[in-house]
Amino acid sequence: MDKPTPRINASMIQQHAGTTVRIVGRIVRSQGSGFIIETSDGNTMLVNPTVECTYSANFIELLGKVQGDGSVSGYTAVDLSDNFDLKTYGLFDIQLMLGTPQAQESENKLLISDFGFGKDCELGSTPVVNDTNSRCSASEVGLTDDDCNFEEKGAAASTKSDIGEADDSPFEVVRTAVSNSDNPAMPSMTFRSGVLGVFFVCLISFVNQFYWERDNPIALNLLIVQLLCYPLGVAMAWGLPKRMWNCFGYKWTMNPGSFTIKEHVLISLMSNASAYMALTVDIFAVLRLYYNPSFSLWTALVLLLSGQLFAYSLAGLSRTLLVLPASMIWPSSLINASLFRTFHENQSEFDKSIDRASTSSSKVGPAVDMTLRARWRRMGLSGMSRTQFFWICFACSFVWYFVPGYLLQVLSTISLLCLIAPHSHLANLIGDGKQGLGVLSFSLDWSVFSNAFLNSPIATPFWAACNLFVGFVLVFWVALPIAYFNNLWGAASLPLYSASVFTTNSTQYNISRVMRNGVFDAQAYEQYSPLRMSLEFSWVYGIGFAALMSILVHIVLYNGKEIIARVRETKTKHDDIHGKLIMQYPSVKAWWYLVMLVASAAAGIAVGVGAHVGVPWWGYILSFAIAIVLIIPVGIIQAVSNRQPGLSLVAELLSGIVLQGIPTGYSILKLYGHGSLAQALSYAQDMKLAHYMKIPPRQVLLYQGIGIVISVVIQTCLFFWLVDHIPNMCRPEGYPWVCRSTNLVYSASIIWNLIGPLKVFGEGSPYSPLLWGFLFGLFLPIPVYFLQRRFPRCTWLKHVYIPVILSGIVGLPPMPPVDFPMWFLFGFIFNFLIHRYWNMWWQKYNFTLSAGLDSGLALSGIFQFLALSQNGIEINWWGNQVDRQCPLSAQPWLAP
């Protein structure tokens, strides 16, 4: 078992040759491909950082290996604030060398205090692992065990089990983020966790589906639940009666004591079961709206429920290879685990650290006590807690959204070029933020900044945001207008930006002209028209082909050896400390999952065939087989590299080949082939989180199962209700209910299944050159990989990530073009400027700001819909005529 990584200074360097160490110091200057760092003893040393080791502050904590010449190979660096007190830290180093035990504890707390954690984290603190802009994080792609530094924030609050304290995970990234202790007596499945779990799964399901069909959809995620759940759980622990109830011999209480970390995890797991359901509902929305208006709610409920339960049972059956082995790390789960521990372990521990530091200060002088107290006061800023800050942001967002959401809707997208030259066709095409290029367009609507297509800009590391924005600029603002205005593939006779499909004379494609009895008619197709797409829409597929291949090549180059090693370690490192601790609880029998899998698959086939969806029984079998075959290899890649290869295009290509001519086949293969596989991987990741947090497996099964059923019922029923009660749903005249994603799925069903990829992308089609995207994506990451190793001193080059650059354009359409620059602008302000120059504020309030704004907007929009729109209370004036800013943008540049 590995020993804890020692912290050293420059004078101790020769004693640790060949050892992995931690060093806290100040960067003095660059030297060659590395830099000189001054440590707490006043001496200096040379550091040669690896490609993955990034930093932006003057003071850092470095994890690296001491070389024979006295230099250090830096694996990863954690930014400390630029006013870090290295001298005070050195006083603790003196005690460390003298063997004073209080110094080690105080040193850890001093580092924690500099990261911005404090006493007033009622809503929770932001863990150091989320600061991915300035250092390596487990959420980044291509990191090995030593590439991430998840600093533990406080001692474990739980009681040690019979396992010795020396036992721990064989991987440092897990050791530093996950506790190696457990308290089996800690309450988890309680009245509080049940009530809050049901409440949040209902809230997340309703909000995500409600906004998914709007022009600027938003999505509430696990982070929102983690932040909101904690104060509610604490409030219930404070206010609920502690009386013990006796129901038929079963004794229970509403309030077993303090709100526990296991309750918090179970609530989050239940609510997270609904996080991605809206994507699946789109599949049946297309059947209801475009192919079969009589498609019933009950059929959709059974098919969706069977798909979700099939996915969950598939994840459960794969847990032996994807969840239980220590080598299957699932890095994203470590971030969530660290955040849970931040909520429940840091508060009292930090208070105690102040007292302990004060006690030990008598041995090293008053400077320690005064420095810690000053740091505590700086951390408090204005004295406002995160809870107070959250409710202020929530209230402001709730009130403000009445302006762009109801009173003055043009503020959602303001196109300056259109306002300057409303009758200029060129200005309309370039400036429209909805149907044009979005140049010089901006917004005052938070749903544009934080949208479901890109998620919150605050939650995205700045290096990743830069990669995405570079891809957007190069393709959307440079290459696209050049190609469009030069009429590439006749594109200038079609709209510049649209997710619809057209005929050769630029009219909307009428699928009834090429269908007979619900299937494709080749003769009618020849008589009618070949299919045409807008240039950007067609490029999305070509770039998607390249992105699919590039991520596979990237994983091989950056993670290939690690994946092979981890697969080999599944046997030798299966029973780490977390596996031993979880064995204390009754496991879920494999046959339970098997019965669920067979029953859900059988129900899906029976209902689908019985309801005459249009897909033969073997089409369902093929869909199930895709998920079953790919779950293990794709799961291993994601568990190790934290990246999931593009699965959507794989399902679309296969469905277009084997089910060509059956447009409803797209829905079935997407549901069971792609949707079930993606959901199964999400459930497996949640199971790993529960594994790390020592949640009894049968309780996980119960809570996740309940969450799946509730989310399917709410989201499916809500969509059908919206379709029946909103005029012109999913059409431009039904704004803001334009259903961008649903219309994209409809177009994709025509492209891939009704007409088929052989006709759309085959020989003789103007879109056949897009198939070169596979080859382009295969080779593009290779030169970048070698350039990064040839020029390790080039700071910007080490952040170039080809799969992210390519994926930056894949969401256009359906995403409105204005969303991208607004999203990047907000990320630049908060994750670069504020992070760099007001880091203490960033650490304390950044993620709370995002949670408050998202939550306030979500509830404001629902209130406006139920209280105003549904009662016919509308304001018809020019400020709400959103389509009049750029009246010419939907027209083609050239006449057909």
Side-chain angles (χ1 to χ4, degrees):
M1 193 66 63
D2 293 343
K3 298 180 180 179
T5 306
R7 284 196 179 96
I8 68 170
N9 55 35
S11 63
M12 305 162 66
I13 196 74
Q14 295 300 331
Q15 305 171 26
H16 294 82
T19 305
T20 299
V21 298
R22 296 182 189 274
I23 303 165
V24 174
R26 178 178 66 90
I27 298 175
V28 179
R29 65 180 184 275
S30 299
Q31 180 170 315
S33 60
F35 57 84
I36 299 296
I37 187 172
E38 177 189 0
T39 59
S40 57
D41 61 347
N43 296 321
T44 60
M45 66 177 69
L46 173 64
V47 176
N48 294 306
T50 60
V51 173
E52 296 84 1
C53 183
T54 62
Y55 53 89
S56 60
N58 291 329
F59 293 89
I60 63 172
E61 181 187 17
L62 180 79
L63 175 69
K65 187 173 183 179
V66 179
Q67 304 300 316
D69 59 358
S71 65
V72 177
S73 295
Y75 297 147
T76 183
V78 176
D79 283 352
L80 308 179
S81 66
D82 287 338
N83 58 356
F84 182 80
D85 195 333
L86 191 61
K87 182 178 180 181
T88 301
Y89 179 83
L91 296 177
F92 290 116
D93 272 350
I94 295 173
Q95 289 200 38
L96 285 172
M97 288 185 286
L98 295 175
T100 309
Q102 292 90 342
Q104 177 67 68
E105 192 169 291
S106 297
E107 179 204 34
N108 292 335
K109 301 308 175 183
L110 178 60
L111 288 172
I112 293 168
S113 69
D114 199 81
F115 289 147
F117 289 90
K119 176 180 178 180
D120 59 343
C121 54
E122 289 89 342
L123 192 63
S125 303
T126 303
V128 65
V129 295
N130 280 343
D131 187 4
T132 47
N133 174 37
S134 58
R135 56 192 174 275
C136 302
S137 160
S139 63
E140 297 185 29
V141 177
L143 304 189
T144 59
D145 300 339
D146 291 328
D147 288 336
C148 300
N149 178 24
F150 292 83
E151 187 69 31
E152 286 191 1
K153 324 285 194 313
S158 57
T159 305
K160 292 288 182 183
S161 66
D162 293 335
I163 307 296
E165 284 192 46
D167 290 329
D168 212 329
S169 170
F171 302 103
E172 182 176 21
V173 67
V174 178
R175 290 197 300 271
T176 53
V178 182
S179 173
N180 68 336
S181 62
D182 182 35
N183 180 7
M186 179 183 292
S188 52
M189 191 170 67
T190 64
F191 174 82
R192 293 185 306 228
S193 64
V195 170
L196 289 178
V198 171
F199 168 76
F200 277 107
V201 76
C202 292
L203 176 66
I204 299 297
S205 300
F206 186 91
V207 169
N208 287 356
Q209 184 60 53
F210 180 86
Y211 278 95
W212 186 246
E213 310 302 341
R214 293 171 68 92
D215 190 44
N216 285 304
I218 64 171
L220 301 185
N221 52 30
L222 181 60
L223 175 63
I224 298 291
V225 177
Q226 286 179 290
L227 292 173
L228 295 181
C229 173
Y230 182 74
L232 293 178
V234 172
M236 293 181 74
W238 176 80
L240 286 178
K242 297 184 178 181
R243 174 184 172 182
M244 186 68 67
W245 302 83
N246 192 331
C247 297
F248 304 102
Y250 176 75
K251 295 183 179 181
W252 65 281
T253 178
M254 292 184 178
N255 190 352
S258 300
F259 183 59
T260 69
I261 190 171
K262 292 190 177 184
E263 290 177 289
H264 200 171
V265 174
L266 275 177
I267 295 166
S268 301
L269 292 179
M270 181 186 286
S271 63
N272 204 42
S274 65
Y276 305 102
M277 269 295 299
L279 295 170
T280 312
V281 174
D282 271 342
I283 295 170
F284 290 102
V286 169
L287 291 179
R288 169 66 185 271
L289 291 169
Y290 300 107
Y291 290 112
N292 185 4
S294 62
F295 187 73
S296 69
L297 169 64
W298 297 108
T299 302
L301 278 173
V302 174
L303 289 176
L304 284 171
L305 187 60
S306 71
Q308 297 304 301
L309 293 179
F310 175 83
Y312 187 75
S313 57
L314 190 60
L317 289 172
S318 306
R319 74 194 192 285
T320 304
L321 293 176
L322 297 182
V323 177
L324 298 181
S327 56
M328 297 294 105
I329 290 178
W330 294 91
S332 292
S333 296
L334 299 177
I335 296 177
N336 293 320
S338 182
L339 183 55
F340 281 122
R341 295 184 66 195
T342 297
F343 279 114
H344 294 271
E345 296 179 11
N346 277 338
Q347 301 167 62
S348 60
E349 290 300 319
F350 190 84
D351 295 341
K352 294 176 183 178
S353 73
I354 296 295
D355 295 335
R356 285 193 291 264
S358 299
T359 302
S360 64
S361 66
S362 61
K363 301 179 182 180
V364 297
V368 177
D369 181 64
M370 294 303 295
T371 300
L372 286 176
R373 292 185 183 276
R375 193 184 307 280
W376 172 260
R377 287 195 297 270
R378 287 197 303 270
M379 214 168 49
L381 301 176
S382 62
M384 184 184 300
S385 70
R386 289 177 175 84
T387 304
Q388 294 170 326
F389 186 73
F390 170 84
W391 287 114
I392 291 174
C393 295
F394 176 91
C396 292
S397 179
F398 183 92
V399 173
W400 171 250
Y401 191 60
F402 276 87
V403 179
Y406 182 73
L407 298 174
L408 195 61
Q409 297 176 14
V410 294
L411 295 182
S412 180
T413 302
I414 302 172
S415 302
L416 292 180
L417 291 180
C418 293
L419 295 177
I420 296 172
H423 302 297
S424 169
H425 194 186
L426 180 62
N428 277 232
L429 289 173
I430 295 175
D432 191 1
K434 296 288 187 183
Q435 302 180 85
L437 297 178
V439 177
L440 295 182
S441 292
F442 67 96
S443 175
L444 298 176
D445 182 352
W446 176 247
S447 67
V448 172
F449 290 87
S450 179
N451 55 78
F453 302 113
L454 293 168
N455 298 317
S456 173
I458 291 177
T460 304
F462 186 64
W463 69 266
C466 289
N467 278 269
L468 290 167
F469 192 62
V470 165
F472 170 81
V473 171
L474 291 178
V475 175
F476 204 76
W477 281 354
V478 178
L480 179 62
I482 294 174
Y484 181 78
F485 291 115
N486 281 282
N487 199 26
L488 178 67
W489 303 337
S493 60
L494 299 173
L496 172 62
Y497 185 78
S498 174
S500 300
V501 290
F502 302 90
T503 64
T504 52
N505 61 3
S506 302
T507 60
Q508 291 276 343
Y509 207 87
N510 185 355
I511 60 173
S512 63
R513 296 281 300 273
V514 297
M515 293 178 65
R516 295 291 184 272
N517 299 320
V519 297
F520 179 71
D521 187 325
Q523 184 177 357
Y525 174 77
E526 296 296 332
Q527 296 174 354
Y528 181 47
S529 171
L531 180 142
R532 293 292 181 263
M533 297 176 277
S534 67
L535 189 59
E536 168 60 18
F537 192 13
S538 65
W539 280 13
V540 163
Y541 286 117
I543 296 173
F545 299 152
L548 172 62
M549 299 306 297
S550 70
I551 193 170
L552 294 175
V553 174
H554 183 96
I555 289 172
V556 170
L557 292 174
Y558 291 84
N559 304 96
K561 294 180 180 179
E562 184 183 7
I563 291 174
I564 294 173
R566 295 288 171 81
V567 171
R568 291 173 176 172
E569 290 166 355
T570 54
K571 295 181 179 180
T572 60
K573 294 186 178 180
H574 189 124
D575 295 325
D576 67 345
I577 181 62
H578 307 295
K580 295 175 183 178
L581 291 174
I582 206 67
M583 290 297 292
Q584 301 173 91
Y585 305 101
S587 63
V588 179
K589 305 297 183 183
W591 67 266
W592 295 9
Y593 291 118
L594 185 61
V595 169
M596 186 189 304
L597 183 139
V598 173
S600 59
I605 296 174
V607 172
V609 174
H612 305 290
V613 174
V615 180
W617 62 268
W618 55 265
Y620 294 86
I621 300 296
L622 175 64
S623 303
F624 295 135
I626 293 174
I628 292 173
V629 170
L630 294 179
I631 179 69
I632 298 301
V634 175
I636 289 174
I637 292 173
Q638 185 172 348
V640 174
S641 70
N642 203 41
R643 297 299 297 178
Q644 184 183 110
L647 304 174
S648 180
L649 277 176
V650 175
E652 289 172 340
L653 278 170
L654 192 57
S655 68
I657 293 173
V658 301
L659 294 174
Q660 190 275 326
I662 307 175
T664 53
Y666 181 87
S667 297
I668 297 303
L669 216 68
K670 283 283 278 188
L671 172 66
Y672 294 114
H674 166 248
S676 292
L677 178 56
Q679 289 282 53
L681 294 173
S682 175
Y683 294 142
Q685 180 167 293
D686 287 346
M687 290 178 182
K688 188 66 176 187
L689 175 61
H691 181 83
Y692 283 142
M693 305 308 293
K694 322 302 184 299
I695 310 297
R698 294 186 180 182
Q699 294 182 14
V700 175
L701 170 66
L702 178 62
Y703 275 64
Q704 288 187 304
I706 292 174
I708 289 171
V709 174
I710 293 176
S711 63
V712 167
V713 172
I714 289 179
Q715 296 196 345
T716 308
C717 291
L718 177 58
F719 175 80
F720 275 74
W721 186 88
L722 290 173
V723 170
D724 293 336
H725 289 81
I726 296 179
N728 300 311
M729 179 80 171
C730 296
R731 286 173 170 77
E733 53 269 25
Y735 183 89
W737 304 93
V738 295
C739 309
R740 288 180 174 271
S741 180
T742 302
N743 287 323
L744 178 67
V745 172
Y746 168 62
S747 296
S749 70
I750 299 174
I751 294 168
W752 293 102
N753 278 81
L754 178 60
I755 297 176
L758 297 181
K759 286 185 170 60
V760 175
F761 300 104
E763 185 178 357
S765 168
Y767 308 119
S768 59
L770 295 174
L771 297 177
W772 286 98
F774 288 108
L775 189 63
F776 180 72
L778 186 66
F779 289 102
L780 190 58
I782 298 175
V784 175
Y785 173 79
F786 287 106
L787 283 173
Q788 288 175 342
R789 275 142 185 78
R790 176 64 180 83
F791 302 102
R793 296 176 55 188
C794 187
T795 304
W796 67 268
L797 183 60
K798 68 175 65 175
H799 293 296
V800 174
Y801 190 97
I802 295 300
V804 175
I805 292 177
L806 293 175
S807 65
I809 203 68
V810 171
L812 291 160
M815 180 175 60
V818 69
D819 288 14
F820 223 124
M822 291 297 97
W823 173 84
F824 179 76
L825 174 63
F826 201 89
F828 172 76
I829 293 172
F830 280 84
N831 283 352
F832 180 76
L833 293 180
I834 293 180
H835 174 269
R836 170 166 290 190
Y837 299 108
W838 295 278
N839 190 261
M840 299 291 286
W841 188 98
W842 187 94
Q843 293 177 29
K844 185 174 184 182
Y845 295 122
N846 198 50
F847 290 93
T848 304
L849 171 69
S850 179
L853 294 178
D854 285 347
S855 303
L857 182 146
L859 296 187
S860 179
I862 294 172
F863 177 82
Q864 293 172 37
F865 176 77
L866 297 177
L868 301 174
S869 300
Q870 282 300 101
N871 293 315
I873 305 174
E874 298 180 354
I875 302 176
N876 294 316
W877 68 304
W878 68 266
N880 286 340
Q881 295 173 352
V882 295
D883 57 342
R884 292 195 176 183
Q885 282 191 59
C886 304
L888 304 177
S889 61
Q891 298 179 15
W893 178 243
L894 300 178

